[in-house]
Amino acid sequence: MAKTYTGSATGTDWAAWQESWDRQQEWYMPDREERFRVMLDMVEALVGPEPRVLDLACGTGSITDRLLKRFPKATSTGVDLDPALLAIARGYFDGDERVTFVTADLKDPQWTRALPHASYDAVLTATALHWLHSDDLTTLYGQLGGLVRADGVFMNADHMIDESTPRINAAERAHRHAEMDRAKALGAVDWAEWWDLAAKDPVLAEPTARRFEIYGEHADGDTPSLDWHARTLREAGGFGEARAVWRSPSDALVLAVK
């Protein structure tokens, strides 16, 4: 199982950092665990309880953590470019032979060469690919088509707004932000505050500085519709089927089967 102790080499409580990242993300997405549950339900339904998984844009390894707790015989390769989040992931999973982490830029045409395996039963990602523009995401979906084995799956849970319903979107956003404001008043930590804490940590300060050199302050990518994702996965990725298996008012989990 994943280790959740204070790392002896650095004195850093990696489990606490993992937990704080999850709580910060939940401030934006109170239904975050529900999308993970459905994601793993679909992994089990389509590829079984012992999958080889690629945790794409893995961050601190939130998907991998839930994967291994539910499926102890699974294995995971986490890939990301963020040095701070990867530091937390590597510290948190230190010593777990089921997990491998790779530093790679998903916009690099050769990024798949850094992976330890040529194919995966499942490629999973959440709240990450909106950092990419649509042309880069189209290219990535094409690459993923070559990584997912026959009858394997790809799942992406992310912001997928239906621009045809502006009044619904505005009402949902206003309600969600009102709830976020209430949680903030009770002490919730937001994105900027979390990164401020990381920048002050003796171990994470240097990788956090490098992280902002790479990414800047905010994502400048796109949030195309669910229909766009499903269509592009079929056309560019060669997936046979693709559709939503979970939805919230602002987000969706799209599942594609090779």
Side-chain angles (χ1 to χ4, degrees), residues 115-157:
L115 300 176
H117 305 292
S119 69
Y120 290 84
D121 302 311
V123 178
L124 310 176
T125 188
T127 327
L129 299 189
H130 63 272
W131 284 78
L132 298 178
H133 289 290
S134 296
D135 53 350
D136 290 324
L137 188 52
T138 299
T139 299
L140 178 63
Y141 279 175
Q143 293 169 319
L144 295 179
L147 281 176
V148 177
R149 57 115 166 138
D151 298 317
V153 300
F154 167 73
M155 279 181 268
N156 177 18

Side-chain angles (χ1 to χ4, degrees), residues 212-236:
F212 280 94
E213 290 175 2
I214 294 169
Y215 291 108
E217 293 290 335
H218 299 287
D220 64 350
D222 303 325
T223 55
S225 69
L226 168 64
D227 288 343
W228 182 94
H229 284 276
R231 182 178 67 255
T232 305
L233 284 163
R234 291 190 298 266
E235 294 176 355

Side-chain angles (χ1 to χ4, degrees), residues 79-170:
V79 60
D80 209 305
L81 186 61
D82 189 313
L85 298 185
L86 279 174
I88 295 171
R90 288 185 168 113
Y92 182 72
F93 290 98
D94 182 44
D96 193 328
E97 296 181 354
R98 298 169 298 175
V99 186
T100 303
F101 289 103
V102 172
T103 300
D105 184 351
L106 297 183
K107 292 191 285 187
D108 180 346
Q110 307 300 323
W111 74 270
T112 60
R113 294 186 178 182
L115 300 176
H117 305 292
S119 69
Y120 290 84
D121 302 311
V123 178
L124 310 176
T125 188
T127 327
L129 299 189
H130 63 272
W131 284 78
L132 298 178
H133 289 290
S134 296
D135 53 350
D136 290 324
L137 188 52
T138 299
T139 299
L140 178 63
Y141 279 175
Q143 293 169 319
L144 295 179
L147 281 176
V148 177
R149 57 115 166 138
D151 298 317
V153 300
F154 167 73
M155 279 181 268
N156 177 18
D158 211 340
H159 312 312
M160 300 182 191
I161 306 297
D162 186 341
E163 300 294 350
S164 70
T165 58
R167 287 183 295 167
I168 295 173
N169 297 348

Side-chain angles (χ1 to χ4, degrees), residues 168-183:
I168 295 173
N169 297 348
E172 182 280 326
R173 188 177 189 279
H175 180 269
R176 175 163 40 90
H177 279 264
E179 292 293 320
M180 291 167 66
D181 289 344
R182 281 189 278 272

